mmCIF file with all atom_site columns, all heavy atoms in Angstrom:
data_model
loop_
_atom_site.group_PDB
_atom_site.id
_atom_site.type_symbol
_atom_site.label_atom_id
_atom_site.label_alt_id
_atom_site.label_comp_id
_atom_site.label_asym_id
_atom_site.label_entity_id
_atom_site.label_seq_id
_atom_site.pdbx_PDB_ins_code
_atom_site.Cartn_x
_atom_site.Cartn_y
_atom_site.Cartn_z
_atom_site.occupancy
_atom_site.B_iso_or_equiv
_atom_site.pdbx_formal_charge
_atom_site.auth_seq_id
_atom_site.auth_comp_id
_atom_site.auth_asym_id
_atom_site.auth_atom_id
_atom_site.pdbx_PDB_model_num
ATOM 1  N N   . LEU B 1 156 ? -1.832 -6.017  -8.426  1.00 0.00 ? 1534 LEU B N   1
ATOM 2  C CA  . LEU B 1 156 ? -0.714 -5.465  -9.205  1.00 0.00 ? 1534 LEU B CA  1
ATOM 3  C C   . LEU B 1 156 ? -0.242 -6.340  -10.358 1.00 0.00 ? 1534 LEU B C   1
ATOM 4  O O   . LEU B 1 156 ? 0.625  -5.924  -11.120 1.00 0.00 ? 1534 LEU B O   1
ATOM 5  C CB  . LEU B 1 156 ? 0.478  -5.190  -8.258  1.00 0.00 ? 1534 LEU B CB  1
ATOM 6  C CG  . LEU B 1 156 ? 0.201  -4.218  -7.111  1.00 0.00 ? 1534 LEU B CG  1
ATOM 7  C CD1 . LEU B 1 156 ? 1.375  -4.192  -6.129  1.00 0.00 ? 1534 LEU B CD1 1
ATOM 8  C CD2 . LEU B 1 156 ? -0.062 -2.820  -7.642  1.00 0.00 ? 1534 LEU B CD2 1
ATOM 9  N N   . ASP B 1 157 ? -0.788 -7.558  -10.437 1.00 0.00 ? 1535 ASP B N   1
ATOM 10 C CA  . ASP B 1 157 ? -0.354 -8.501  -11.478 1.00 0.00 ? 1535 ASP B CA  1
ATOM 11 C C   . ASP B 1 157 ? 1.125  -8.828  -11.389 1.00 0.00 ? 1535 ASP B C   1
ATOM 12 O O   . ASP B 1 157 ? 1.838  -8.824  -12.403 1.00 0.00 ? 1535 ASP B O   1
ATOM 13 C CB  . ASP B 1 157 ? -0.637 -7.947  -12.887 1.00 0.00 ? 1535 ASP B CB  1
ATOM 14 C CG  . ASP B 1 157 ? -2.103 -8.125  -13.256 1.00 0.00 ? 1535 ASP B CG  1
ATOM 15 O OD1 . ASP B 1 157 ? -2.660 -9.173  -12.956 1.00 0.00 ? 1535 ASP B OD1 1
ATOM 16 O OD2 . ASP B 1 157 ? -2.676 -7.167  -13.824 1.00 0.00 ? 1535 ASP B OD2 1
ATOM 17 N N   . VAL B 1 158 ? 1.617  -9.028  -10.218 1.00 0.00 ? 1536 VAL B N   1
ATOM 18 C CA  . VAL B 1 158 ? 3.042  -9.403  -10.041 1.00 0.00 ? 1536 VAL B CA  1
ATOM 19 C C   . VAL B 1 158 ? 3.125  -10.613 -9.077  1.00 0.00 ? 1536 VAL B C   1
ATOM 20 O O   . VAL B 1 158 ? 2.170  -10.829 -8.297  1.00 0.00 ? 1536 VAL B O   1
ATOM 21 C CB  . VAL B 1 158 ? 3.882  -8.249  -9.487  1.00 0.00 ? 1536 VAL B CB  1
ATOM 22 C CG1 . VAL B 1 158 ? 3.924  -7.075  -10.457 1.00 0.00 ? 1536 VAL B CG1 1
ATOM 23 C CG2 . VAL B 1 158 ? 3.383  -7.795  -8.087  1.00 0.00 ? 1536 VAL B CG2 1
ATOM 24 N N   . PRO B 1 159 ? 4.213  -11.363 -9.091  1.00 0.00 ? 1537 PRO B N   1
ATOM 25 C CA  . PRO B 1 159 ? 4.345  -12.463 -8.141  1.00 0.00 ? 1537 PRO B CA  1
ATOM 26 C C   . PRO B 1 159 ? 4.408  -11.955 -6.711  1.00 0.00 ? 1537 PRO B C   1
ATOM 27 O O   . PRO B 1 159 ? 4.833  -10.807 -6.500  1.00 0.00 ? 1537 PRO B O   1
ATOM 28 C CB  . PRO B 1 159 ? 5.664  -13.133 -8.533  1.00 0.00 ? 1537 PRO B CB  1
ATOM 29 C CG  . PRO B 1 159 ? 5.999  -12.620 -9.877  1.00 0.00 ? 1537 PRO B CG  1
ATOM 30 C CD  . PRO B 1 159 ? 5.351  -11.266 -10.010 1.00 0.00 ? 1537 PRO B CD  1
ATOM 31 N N   . ILE B 1 160 ? 4.067  -12.799 -5.769  1.00 0.00 ? 1538 ILE B N   1
ATOM 32 C CA  . ILE B 1 160 ? 4.057  -12.381 -4.362  1.00 0.00 ? 1538 ILE B CA  1
ATOM 33 C C   . ILE B 1 160 ? 5.484  -12.012 -3.867  1.00 0.00 ? 1538 ILE B C   1
ATOM 34 O O   . ILE B 1 160 ? 5.630  -11.129 -3.031  1.00 0.00 ? 1538 ILE B O   1
ATOM 35 C CB  . ILE B 1 160 ? 3.409  -13.490 -3.487  1.00 0.00 ? 1538 ILE B CB  1
ATOM 36 C CG1 . ILE B 1 160 ? 2.918  -12.924 -2.160  1.00 0.00 ? 1538 ILE B CG1 1
ATOM 37 C CG2 . ILE B 1 160 ? 4.335  -14.656 -3.272  1.00 0.00 ? 1538 ILE B CG2 1
ATOM 38 C CD1 . ILE B 1 160 ? 1.928  -13.817 -1.442  1.00 0.00 ? 1538 ILE B CD1 1
#
Side-chain angles (χ1 to χ4, degrees):
Chain B
L1534 300 172
D1535 282 318
V1536 296
I1538 200 163

